[in-house]
């Protein structure tokens, strides 16, 4: 028996059609009004029905919709990127995101090179979701078995800061990746992957659960397990408070090209992109350009110092697993000027 997952279908999105062009025009016009010289991005909306029929007499289906606006506001010297993600039009509040993108693009104008070194960094949700996606992929049982996970032999061990926990929620209300059942017909649920820094389980299907002697997590896909919606519990401080406590550091708004030198050790590098802000004594004093962040994922995540008290829904090119994440402040991050 399957419970209905609330809010994953909206007939208004199904019937949106070419009306979406007016949304796109409004987003572009708003960005230009707020100071962007030009814009780039995509608006996509999708609907469908998924039906599952199995040899165990399961015959069930569900309808879904989603809409995603990804917009980059550009000035002559800088850019900023925001996304707005929803399963229904009522929650598709894209205009504040557009205004924020235009304002960050202007604030990031005239970026300068900074010295290589160790910095405390606030990763805004777009950039933090990138890291969370990598953590989520590393919890897949088949990734561990094939040597493409830095969580090999890490069950019940500390893999992140105690201030960080992570859930995969397959039945999340209004979740982009939500569904009532997985590809084996198991009812979806919430699974605690990391509890105050401790890795509790791997995401699995029936066969990998047996191989690891774990309980199935209802994450089966056609070939292997995969995350549904990655959810990070929020912290207690506002974004403004996190910034005010940053003595000498950076704010990274977005990143791309997260690549590994060694999957088992989690040795990686990633390129921050769009607006990067330089902070001194809790205040933004300028912007930076052309930097690379590197290290290993376990030590990086162990250096999480705090999380903001609000989160955002993120789906993006580098973060294709739907995520709900706050901003994260991470200390002692290796930064190289490139």
């Amino acid at each position: 028996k399957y419970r209905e997952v609330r809010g994953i279908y909206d007939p208004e999105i199904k019937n949106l059609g070419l009306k979406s062009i007016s949304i796109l025009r409004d987003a572009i016009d708003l960005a230009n009004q707020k100071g962007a010289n030009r814009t780039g991005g995509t608006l996509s909306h999708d609907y469908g029905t998924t039906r599952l029929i199995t040899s165990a007499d399961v015959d069930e289906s569900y309808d879904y919709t989603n809409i995603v606006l990804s917009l980059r506001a550009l000035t002559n010297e800088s850019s900023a990127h925001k996304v707005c993600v929803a399963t229904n039009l009522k929650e598709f509040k894209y205009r504040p995101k557009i205004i924020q993108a235009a304002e960050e693009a202007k604030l990031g104008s005239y970026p300068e090179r900074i010295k290589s070194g160790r910095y405390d960094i606030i990763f805004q949700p777009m950039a933090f979701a990138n890291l969370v996606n990598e953590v989520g992929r590393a919890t897949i049982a088949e990734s561990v078995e094939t040597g493409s996970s830095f969580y090999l032999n890490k069950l019940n061990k500390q893999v992140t800061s105690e201030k960080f926990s992570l859930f995969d929620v397959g039945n999340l209300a209004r979740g982009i990746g939500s569904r009532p059942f997985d590809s084996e017909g198991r009812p979806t649920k919430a699974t605690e992957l990391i509890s105050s820094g401790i890795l509790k389980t791997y995401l699995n299907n029936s066969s990998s659960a047996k191989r690891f002697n774990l309980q199935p997590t209802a994450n089966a896909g056609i070939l292997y397990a995969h995350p549904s919606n990655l959810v990070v519990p929020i912290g207690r401080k506002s974004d403004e408070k996190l910034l005010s406590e940053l003595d000498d550091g950076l704010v990274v708004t977005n990143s791309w090209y997260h690549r590994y030198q060694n999957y088992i050790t989690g040795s990686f590098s990633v390129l921050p992109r769009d607006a990067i802000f330089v902070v001194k004594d809790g205040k933004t004093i300028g912007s930076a350009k052309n930097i690379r962040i590197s290290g290993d994922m376990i030590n990086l995540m162990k250096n999480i110092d705090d999380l903001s008290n609000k989160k955002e829904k993120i789906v993006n090119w580098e973060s294709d697993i739907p995520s709900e994440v706050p901003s994260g402040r991470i200390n002692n991050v290796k930064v190289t000027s490139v």
Side-chain angles (χ1 to χ4, degrees):
K1 302 296 182 181
Y2 306 108
R3 293 182 178 181
E4 180 183 359
V5 182
R6 293 187 295 110
I8 63 172
Y9 175 74
D10 180 7
E12 290 191 42
I13 291 180
K14 179 179 179 180
N15 298 320
L16 190 58
L18 293 178
K19 296 177 184 176
S20 60
I21 293 175
S22 63
I23 295 175
L24 195 56
R25 285 173 173 165
D26 180 59
I28 294 170
D29 289 344
L30 181 60
N32 292 340
Q33 291 168 13
K34 297 299 180 179
N37 293 341
R38 56 193 178 94
T39 57
T42 60
L43 174 66
S44 63
H45 49 97
D46 185 29
Y47 68 90
T49 299
T50 295
R51 184 181 181 189
L52 178 69
I53 304 173
T54 78
S55 57
D57 295 327
V58 173
D59 186 351
E60 296 285 341
S61 64
Y62 66 93
D63 298 323
Y64 65 87
T65 55
N66 60 68
I67 183 167
V68 179
L69 174 65
S70 174
L71 185 140
R72 175 169 282 107
L74 301 101
T75 66
N76 291 333
E77 297 287 340
S78 181
S79 64
H81 188 183
K82 299 297 174 185
V83 295
C84 186
V85 180
T87 56
N88 61 83
L89 282 183
K90 184 177 180 180
E91 294 189 354
F92 185 60
K93 301 183 184 302
Y94 63 90
R95 298 189 104 238
K97 299 281 190 180
I98 303 305
I99 294 172
Q100 187 179 7
E103 290 177 346
E104 286 187 358
K106 289 189 297 182
L107 188 60
S109 296
Y110 309 109
E112 298 179 346
R113 289 185 177 272
I114 60 173
K115 293 182 179 179
S116 299
R118 296 273 176 176
Y119 290 83
D120 297 341
I121 298 178
I122 293 174
F123 291 81
Q124 286 189 356
M126 287 273 287
F128 198 54
N130 187 351
L131 300 177
V132 171
N133 264 236
E134 296 302 318
V135 169
R137 293 187 185 97
T139 66
I140 298 172
E142 286 86 354
S143 296
V144 176
E145 291 179 303
T146 57
S148 56
S149 168
F150 40 86
Y151 287 154
L152 176 65
N153 299 324
K154 293 293 192 297
L155 277 178
N156 299 313
K157 295 182 180 180
Q158 184 181 358
V159 294
T160 72
S161 163
E162 294 179 355
K163 295 185 178 181
F164 180 88
S165 295
L166 178 64
F167 292 81
D168 180 77
V169 189
N171 57 354
L172 180 68
R174 300 176 296 280
I176 293 290
S178 294
R179 50 186 178 162
F181 46 78
D182 72 359
S183 294
E184 293 178 333
R186 292 184 181 276
T188 53
K189 60 178 183 175
T191 299
E192 189 174 30
L193 297 171
I194 297 174
S195 177
S196 299
I198 305 298
L199 180 64
K200 305 301 289 187
T201 190
Y202 296 132
L203 293 176
N204 56 61
N205 53 28
S206 294
S207 58
S208 61
K210 289 180 180 179
R211 294 194 298 273
F212 281 97
N213 194 27
L214 296 170
Q215 292 298 313
T217 60
N219 287 90
I222 297 300
L223 297 177
Y224 51 86
H226 59 79
S228 302
N229 301 285
L230 296 173
V231 179
V232 178
I234 60 175
R236 297 183 178 181
K237 297 177 181 177
S238 66
D239 287 293
E240 293 77 15
K241 182 65 174 176
L242 287 186
L243 182 67
S244 69
E245 295 176 344
L246 194 61
D247 293 330
D248 187 6
L250 304 171
V251 175
V252 172
T253 62
N254 192 16
S255 61
W256 64 348
Y257 292 126
H258 189 116
R259 301 295 182 263
Y260 291 95
Q261 288 78 46
N262 187 315
Y263 282 99
I264 296 297
T265 64
S267 176
F268 79 97
S269 69
V270 65
L271 293 174
R273 69 180 311 197
D274 301 309
I276 306 164
F277 300 113
V278 180
V279 179
K280 188 74 173 178
D281 297 327
K283 297 182 179 180
T284 301
I285 62 169
S287 60
K289 64 179 180 180
N290 299 341
I291 64 172
R292 182 188 302 274
I293 291 173
S294 59
D296 72 83
M297 283 297 295
I298 289 183
N299 282 328
L300 180 82
M301 299 304 286
K302 282 184 177 180
N303 284 338
I304 292 175
D305 178 55
D306 222 330
L307 302 169
S308 69
N309 62 3
K310 63 180 181 180
K311 57 188 177 182
E312 297 182 14
K313 290 184 178 182
I314 302 293
V315 175
N316 194 26
W317 176 43
E318 286 277 352
S319 309
D320 56 350
I321 304 169
S323 308
E324 293 194 6
V325 302
S327 297
R329 189 174 64 210
I330 304 180
N331 293 339
N332 197 33
V333 180
K334 182 180 178 180
V335 174
T336 307
S337 182
V338 295

